[in-house]
Amino acid sequence: MVVISSCDVYNTMRFGALPKQNDYSHFPQRKIENQSPVFNFIKPNKDYGLGKLIGLTNKSLNPSNVELDSFVKLHNTISFLIIRNDTILYEKYNGKYADTSLVSSFSMVKPMVSTLIGIAVEEGKIKSVDNPIIDYLPELKNKPGFDKITIKNLLQHTSGIKFSDQEFNIVSDNAEFYWGHDLRKEITGLTIKTTPNMEFHYSSANTQLLALIIERVTGKSVSKYLETKIWKPLGMEAPAYWSLDKQGEDGMEKAFCCLQARAIDFAKFGRLYLNKGSWEGNQIVSKDWVEYSTHSDPSNNNRHYYNNNWGIGPVKYDSFYAVGLYGQYLYLYPEKNIQIIRFGDSELSYNPNYWQDIFIQIMDQLNELK
């Protein structure tokens, strides 16, 4: 049973139980520095007019075609980009948001955490994802069942750890992780529901444990490791900020969510994966890690549509995506070197399958445009 402290109840009443884009202003932050040279996507030398040319249909919402310009305003969309072959074909921001605004990732950050695990494996800091997690987190050795959990189980959400991830319920484990102020204590309180490899159960606890492993094997915060291995090498346009559970050196990143950055910098992470882990001639994360992470592995009761925190799209497109609450999306289509980046704010009608259908419609129409 989750126990919500009086302070956390106060916070959820004051700030609202439902997560919102601007929640990060209520949390301590750890800054992730960028550095020169900045990588810039290509600004087009002509107006492709996609806002009028692309029409989108969804029976549950719009019985007839709606122009892309109109569509991006629906469902509290705050930023929407389409990039093909490193050229920005479409870029739209709504309300107070602009190209320099910070947007919050929610769970869209989870593949970044998995990528850091892949880098740590390549560097020899982690021997194998098949290692038991207690090899790296000895404080969990005496907790029943944790000795059988591997790093791969955390990556695939087949750990068997008991965790309720109902983001709209203020007494869920996920709400305690999100609004609470002592993630290390929460981690030590985790218990087992089933033995590993018995079932797929999406859980933010798995990703938070991956972040703790990164801390242990690198001797750095997960923010600093991200800065060193991804943010600076990829020439990000601006610093990012990762929300912490509390102030101070012991503050821990809410690694299952809550990385704030410019939308265009999330697109650079997408470009890294479109290029098989290579960036301007440097192999940032191994090609094998990228290939495995972005394709199905239904073994050991893992889901065929989800692997290493990446969603796996239809076989026809060989697409994959990072997804977060309220339709935060980094949707990647390698065959045509296309990525679609979408951020939005709280929307109760949020439906991941709805957005995937929309992105596929966009990709189909882009294939007809020169």
Side-chain angles (χ1 to χ4, degrees), residues 129-157:
V129 295
D130 294 318
N131 290 158
I133 63 172
I134 60 171
D135 288 358
Y136 305 94
L137 306 174
E139 66 269 33
L140 300 179
K141 280 185 177 180
N142 296 325
K143 291 183 66 65
F146 278 77
D147 59 319
K148 295 181 173 59
I149 299 172
T150 65
I151 294 174
K152 188 173 184 177
N153 290 139
L154 299 181
L155 290 164
Q156 295 189 334
H157 295 274

mmCIF file of all heavy atoms in Angstrom, residues 129-157:
data_model
loop_
_atom_site.group_PDB
_atom_site.id
_atom_site.type_symbol
_atom_site.label_atom_id
_atom_site.label_comp_id
_atom_site.label_asym_id
_atom_site.label_seq_id
_atom_site.Cartn_x
_atom_site.Cartn_y
_atom_site.Cartn_z
ATOM 1 N N VAL A 129 24.011 -6.931 -19.659
ATOM 2 C CA VAL A 129 22.648 -6.662 -19.199
ATOM 3 C C VAL A 129 22.026 -7.916 -18.585
ATOM 4 O O VAL A 129 20.952 -7.847 -17.976
ATOM 5 C CB VAL A 129 21.754 -6.133 -20.336
ATOM 6 C CG1 VAL A 129 22.236 -4.788 -20.814
ATOM 7 C CG2 VAL A 129 21.657 -7.131 -21.490
ATOM 8 N N ASP A 130 22.680 -9.044 -18.749
ATOM 9 C CA ASP A 130 22.196 -10.277 -18.124
ATOM 10 C C ASP A 130 22.666 -10.413 -16.674
ATOM 11 O O ASP A 130 22.295 -11.366 -15.985
ATOM 12 C CB ASP A 130 22.657 -11.497 -18.930
ATOM 13 C CG ASP A 130 22.013 -11.551 -20.309
ATOM 14 O OD1 ASP A 130 20.799 -11.277 -20.404
ATOM 15 O OD2 ASP A 130 22.718 -11.847 -21.294
ATOM 16 N N ASN A 131 23.483 -9.478 -16.207
ATOM 17 C CA ASN A 131 23.918 -9.490 -14.807
ATOM 18 C C ASN A 131 22.745 -9.220 -13.866
ATOM 19 O O ASN A 131 21.881 -8.379 -14.170
ATOM 20 C CB ASN A 131 24.965 -8.412 -14.549
ATOM 21 C CG ASN A 131 26.297 -8.683 -15.201
ATOM 22 O OD1 ASN A 131 27.074 -7.753 -15.417
ATOM 23 N ND2 ASN A 131 26.591 -9.928 -15.548
ATOM 24 N N PRO A 132 22.727 -9.867 -12.700
ATOM 25 C CA PRO A 132 21.723 -9.520 -11.679
ATOM 26 C C PRO A 132 21.941 -8.084 -11.210
ATOM 27 O O PRO A 132 23.082 -7.616 -11.097
ATOM 28 C CB PRO A 132 22.003 -10.513 -10.553
ATOM 29 C CG PRO A 132 22.806 -11.614 -11.169
ATOM 30 C CD PRO A 132 23.594 -10.985 -12.280
ATOM 31 N N ILE A 133 20.864 -7.389 -10.916
ATOM 32 C CA ILE A 133 21.000 -5.991 -10.500
ATOM 33 C C ILE A 133 21.685 -5.874 -9.138
ATOM 34 O O ILE A 133 22.281 -4.836 -8.830
ATOM 35 C CB ILE A 133 19.642 -5.265 -10.478
ATOM 36 C CG1 ILE A 133 18.679 -5.875 -9.449
ATOM 37 C CG2 ILE A 133 19.025 -5.268 -11.874
ATOM 38 C CD1 ILE A 133 17.399 -5.065 -9.263
ATOM 39 N N ILE A 134 21.645 -6.928 -8.331
ATOM 40 C CA ILE A 134 22.289 -6.853 -7.017
ATOM 41 C C ILE A 134 23.807 -6.789 -7.135
ATOM 42 O O ILE A 134 24.485 -6.405 -6.180
ATOM 43 C CB ILE A 134 21.869 -8.023 -6.103
ATOM 44 C CG1 ILE A 134 22.250 -9.370 -6.718
ATOM 45 C CG2 ILE A 134 20.380 -7.959 -5.792
ATOM 46 C CD1 ILE A 134 22.072 -10.542 -5.774
ATOM 47 N N ASP A 135 24.347 -7.145 -8.314
ATOM 48 C CA ASP A 135 25.787 -6.978 -8.531
ATOM 49 C C ASP A 135 26.175 -5.503 -8.468
ATOM 50 O O ASP A 135 27.329 -5.171 -8.168
ATOM 51 C CB ASP A 135 26.194 -7.539 -9.895
ATOM 52 C CG ASP A 135 26.167 -9.062 -9.937
ATOM 53 O OD1 ASP A 135 25.865 -9.682 -8.896
ATOM 54 O OD2 ASP A 135 26.433 -9.627 -11.018
ATOM 55 N N TYR A 136 25.230 -4.637 -8.783
ATOM 56 C CA TYR A 136 25.478 -3.202 -8.827
ATOM 57 C C TYR A 136 24.762 -2.446 -7.705
ATOM 58 O O TYR A 136 25.143 -1.321 -7.384
ATOM 59 C CB TYR A 136 25.038 -2.653 -10.188
ATOM 60 C CG TYR A 136 25.705 -3.379 -11.333
ATOM 61 C CD1 TYR A 136 25.094 -4.467 -11.959
ATOM 62 C CD2 TYR A 136 26.970 -2.999 -11.778
ATOM 63 C CE1 TYR A 136 25.716 -5.148 -12.985
ATOM 64 C CE2 TYR A 136 27.602 -3.675 -12.811
ATOM 65 C CZ TYR A 136 26.973 -4.760 -13.411
ATOM 66 O OH TYR A 136 27.600 -5.444 -14.427
ATOM 67 N N LEU A 137 23.742 -3.072 -7.143
ATOM 68 C CA LEU A 137 22.966 -2.461 -6.064
ATOM 69 C C LEU A 137 22.926 -3.432 -4.883
ATOM 70 O O LEU A 137 21.903 -4.075 -4.602
ATOM 71 C CB LEU A 137 21.537 -2.137 -6.544
ATOM 72 C CG LEU A 137 21.420 -1.286 -7.815
ATOM 73 C CD1 LEU A 137 19.961 -1.166 -8.238
ATOM 74 C CD2 LEU A 137 22.045 0.083 -7.611
ATOM 75 N N PRO A 138 24.052 -3.577 -4.162
ATOM 76 C CA PRO A 138 24.135 -4.591 -3.108
ATOM 77 C C PRO A 138 23.139 -4.382 -1.977
ATOM 78 O O PRO A 138 22.829 -5.342 -1.246
ATOM 79 C CB PRO A 138 25.578 -4.457 -2.610
ATOM 80 C CG PRO A 138 26.026 -3.103 -3.037
ATOM 81 C CD PRO A 138 25.315 -2.827 -4.327
ATOM 82 N N GLU A 139 22.605 -3.177 -1.822
ATOM 83 C CA GLU A 139 21.635 -2.944 -0.748
ATOM 84 C C GLU A 139 20.328 -3.695 -0.971
ATOM 85 O O GLU A 139 19.495 -3.795 -0.056
ATOM 86 C CB GLU A 139 21.347 -1.445 -0.604
ATOM 87 C CG GLU A 139 20.642 -0.791 -1.785
ATOM 88 C CD GLU A 139 21.588 -0.222 -2.817
ATOM 89 O OE1 GLU A 139 22.687 -0.801 -3.005
ATOM 90 O OE2 GLU A 139 21.250 0.803 -3.434
ATOM 91 N N LEU A 140 20.139 -4.230 -2.200
ATOM 92 C CA LEU A 140 18.922 -4.979 -2.496
ATOM 93 C C LEU A 140 19.113 -6.492 -2.323
ATOM 94 O O LEU A 140 18.174 -7.261 -2.532
ATOM 95 C CB LEU A 140 18.471 -4.690 -3.932
ATOM 96 C CG LEU A 140 18.142 -3.228 -4.264
ATOM 97 C CD1 LEU A 140 17.728 -3.105 -5.719
ATOM 98 C CD2 LEU A 140 17.055 -2.684 -3.347
ATOM 99 N N LYS A 141 20.316 -6.909 -1.915
ATOM 100 C CA LYS A 141 20.606 -8.348 -1.821
ATOM 101 C C LYS A 141 19.686 -9.076 -0.856
ATOM 102 O O LYS A 141 19.309 -10.234 -1.087
ATOM 103 C CB LYS A 141 22.062 -8.554 -1.391
ATOM 104 C CG LYS A 141 23.064 -8.414 -2.515
ATOM 105 C CD LYS A 141 24.468 -8.760 -2.045
ATOM 106 C CE LYS A 141 25.459 -8.696 -3.202
ATOM 107 N NZ LYS A 141 26.837 -9.033 -2.781
ATOM 108 N N ASN A 142 19.336 -8.437 0.230
ATOM 109 C CA ASN A 142 18.528 -9.099 1.250
ATOM 110 C C ASN A 142 17.029 -8.933 1.044
ATOM 111 O O ASN A 142 16.237 -9.380 1.872
ATOM 112 C CB ASN A 142 18.923 -8.576 2.634
ATOM 113 C CG ASN A 142 20.357 -8.930 2.999
ATOM 114 O OD1 ASN A 142 20.849 -10.005 2.634
ATOM 115 N ND2 ASN A 142 21.035 -8.034 3.690
ATOM 116 N N LYS A 143 16.634 -8.303 -0.046
ATOM 117 C CA LYS A 143 15.209 -8.165 -0.340
ATOM 118 C C LYS A 143 14.761 -9.383 -1.148
ATOM 119 O O LYS A 143 15.341 -9.681 -2.202
ATOM 120 C CB LYS A 143 14.940 -6.883 -1.134
ATOM 121 C CG LYS A 143 15.155 -5.610 -0.308
ATOM 122 C CD LYS A 143 14.804 -4.364 -1.104
ATOM 123 C CE LYS A 143 13.318 -4.299 -1.433
ATOM 124 N NZ LYS A 143 12.470 -4.152 -0.224
ATOM 125 N N PRO A 144 13.764 -10.089 -0.668
ATOM 126 C CA PRO A 144 13.335 -11.333 -1.333
ATOM 127 C C PRO A 144 13.026 -11.130 -2.809
ATOM 128 O O PRO A 144 12.288 -10.223 -3.192
ATOM 129 C CB PRO A 144 12.063 -11.718 -0.554
ATOM 130 C CG PRO A 144 12.231 -11.081 0.782
ATOM 131 C CD PRO A 144 12.961 -9.795 0.532
ATOM 132 N N GLY A 145 13.632 -11.967 -3.642
ATOM 133 C CA GLY A 145 13.345 -11.988 -5.063
ATOM 134 C C GLY A 145 14.188 -11.080 -5.923
ATOM 135 O O GLY A 145 14.259 -11.265 -7.143
ATOM 136 N N PHE A 146 14.852 -10.089 -5.332
ATOM 137 C CA PHE A 146 15.613 -9.128 -6.139
ATOM 138 C C PHE A 146 16.889 -9.733 -6.711
ATOM 139 O O PHE A 146 17.429 -9.215 -7.692
ATOM 140 C CB PHE A 146 15.928 -7.875 -5.318
ATOM 141 C CG PHE A 146 14.793 -6.895 -5.277
ATOM 142 C CD1 PHE A 146 13.697 -7.108 -4.452
ATOM 143 C CD2 PHE A 146 14.795 -5.764 -6.081
ATOM 144 C CE1 PHE A 146 12.636 -6.215 -4.414
ATOM 145 C CE2 PHE A 146 13.744 -4.864 -6.053
ATOM 146 C CZ PHE A 146 12.651 -5.096 -5.219
ATOM 147 N N ASP A 147 17.366 -10.829 -6.135
ATOM 148 C CA ASP A 147 18.578 -11.463 -6.642
ATOM 149 C C ASP A 147 18.371 -12.097 -8.011
ATOM 150 O O ASP A 147 19.331 -12.368 -8.735
ATOM 151 C CB ASP A 147 19.072 -12.523 -5.648
ATOM 152 C CG ASP A 147 18.039 -13.608 -5.392
ATOM 153 O OD1 ASP A 147 16.839 -13.274 -5.269
ATOM 154 O OD2 ASP A 147 18.423 -14.792 -5.301
ATOM 155 N N LYS A 148 17.117 -12.315 -8.397
ATOM 156 C CA LYS A 148 16.822 -12.956 -9.684
ATOM 157 C C LYS A 148 16.569 -11.944 -10.794
ATOM 158 O O LYS A 148 16.448 -12.307 -11.962
ATOM 159 C CB LYS A 148 15.601 -13.869 -9.533
ATOM 160 C CG LYS A 148 15.834 -15.056 -8.605
ATOM 161 C CD LYS A 148 14.591 -15.931 -8.507
ATOM 162 C CE LYS A 148 14.868 -17.201 -7.712
ATOM 163 N NZ LYS A 148 15.322 -16.913 -6.351
ATOM 164 N N ILE A 149 16.497 -10.662 -10.459
ATOM 165 C CA ILE A 149 16.216 -9.630 -11.455
ATOM 166 C C ILE A 149 17.512 -9.217 -12.154
ATOM 167 O O ILE A 149 18.517 -8.930 -11.503
ATOM 168 C CB ILE A 149 15.569 -8.399 -10.800
ATOM 169 C CG1 ILE A 149 14.239 -8.784 -10.140
ATOM 170 C CG2 ILE A 149 15.345 -7.292 -11.829
ATOM 171 C CD1 ILE A 149 13.631 -7.662 -9.303
ATOM 172 N N THR A 150 17.473 -9.167 -13.484
ATOM 173 C CA THR A 150 18.638 -8.726 -14.254
ATOM 174 C C THR A 150 18.410 -7.298 -14.775
ATOM 175 O O THR A 150 17.284 -6.786 -14.761
ATOM 176 C CB THR A 150 18.881 -9.645 -15.456
ATOM 177 O OG1 THR A 150 17.778 -9.536 -16.360
ATOM 178 C CG2 THR A 150 19.050 -11.091 -15.016
ATOM 179 N N ILE A 151 19.477 -6.699 -15.259
ATOM 180 C CA ILE A 151 19.345 -5.381 -15.882
ATOM 181 C C ILE A 151 18.422 -5.467 -17.089
ATOM 182 O O ILE A 151 17.603 -4.575 -17.332
ATOM 183 C CB ILE A 151 20.727 -4.845 -16.296
ATOM 184 C CG1 ILE A 151 21.588 -4.587 -15.056
ATOM 185 C CG2 ILE A 151 20.592 -3.565 -17.121
ATOM 186 C CD1 ILE A 151 23.020 -4.194 -15.359
ATOM 187 N N LYS A 152 18.503 -6.568 -17.827
ATOM 188 C CA LYS A 152 17.629 -6.743 -18.987
ATOM 189 C C LYS A 152 16.167 -6.748 -18.578
ATOM 190 O O LYS A 152 15.305 -6.215 -19.289
ATOM 191 C CB LYS A 152 17.976 -8.035 -19.728
ATOM 192 C CG LYS A 152 17.250 -8.204 -21.053
ATOM 193 C CD LYS A 152 17.774 -9.414 -21.810
ATOM 194 C CE LYS A 152 17.113 -9.514 -23.176
ATOM 195 N NZ LYS A 152 17.657 -10.650 -23.968
ATOM 196 N N ASN A 153 15.864 -7.334 -17.423
ATOM 197 C CA ASN A 153 14.489 -7.311 -16.926
ATOM 198 C C ASN A 153 13.999 -5.886 -16.697
ATOM 199 O O ASN A 153 12.839 -5.564 -16.981
ATOM 200 C CB ASN A 153 14.363 -8.094 -15.611
ATOM 201 C CG ASN A 153 14.506 -9.587 -15.764
ATOM 202 O OD1 ASN A 153 15.148 -10.248 -14.947
ATOM 203 N ND2 ASN A 153 13.912 -10.139 -16.806
ATOM 204 N N LEU A 154 14.872 -5.022 -16.200
ATOM 205 C CA LEU A 154 14.492 -3.615 -16.005
ATOM 206 C C LEU A 154 14.263 -2.935 -17.348
ATOM 207 O O LEU A 154 13.313 -2.158 -17.516
ATOM 208 C CB LEU A 154 15.583 -2.866 -15.236
ATOM 209 C CG LEU A 154 15.927 -3.365 -13.828
ATOM 210 C CD1 LEU A 154 17.019 -2.487 -13.215
ATOM 211 C CD2 LEU A 154 14.701 -3.390 -12.918
ATOM 212 N N LEU A 155 15.129 -3.217 -18.313
ATOM 213 C CA LEU A 155 15.008 -2.616 -19.643
ATOM 214 C C LEU A 155 13.723 -3.060 -20.342
ATOM 215 O O LEU A 155 13.110 -2.290 -21.080
ATOM 216 C CB LEU A 155 16.206 -2.990 -20.505
ATOM 217 C CG LEU A 155 17.544 -2.353 -20.129
ATOM 218 C CD1 LEU A 155 18.693 -3.099 -20.796
ATOM 219 C CD2 LEU A 155 17.567 -0.878 -20.530
ATOM 220 N N GLN A 156 13.314 -4.300 -20.104
ATOM 221 C CA GLN A 156 12.155 -4.856 -20.797
ATOM 222 C C GLN A 156 10.878 -4.827 -19.959
ATOM 223 O O GLN A 156 9.834 -5.272 -20.414
ATOM 224 C CB GLN A 156 12.446 -6.294 -21.243
ATOM 225 C CG GLN A 156 13.543 -6.381 -22.287
ATOM 226 C CD GLN A 156 13.684 -7.771 -22.872
ATOM 227 O OE1 GLN A 156 13.341 -8.762 -22.239
ATOM 228 N NE2 GLN A 156 14.176 -7.843 -24.093
ATOM 229 N N HIS A 157 10.965 -4.321 -18.737
ATOM 230 C CA HIS A 157 9.800 -4.246 -17.843
ATOM 231 C C HIS A 157 9.232 -5.635 -17.555
ATOM 232 O O HIS A 157 8.019 -5.836 -17.513
ATOM 233 C CB HIS A 157 8.727 -3.339 -18.433
ATOM 234 C CG HIS A 157 9.170 -1.906 -18.546
ATOM 235 N ND1 HIS A 157 9.062 -0.998 -17.512
ATOM 236 C CD2 HIS A 157 9.750 -1.230 -19.567
ATOM 237 C CE1 HIS A 157 9.545 0.169 -17.898
ATOM 238 N NE2 HIS A 157 9.986 0.048 -19.135
#
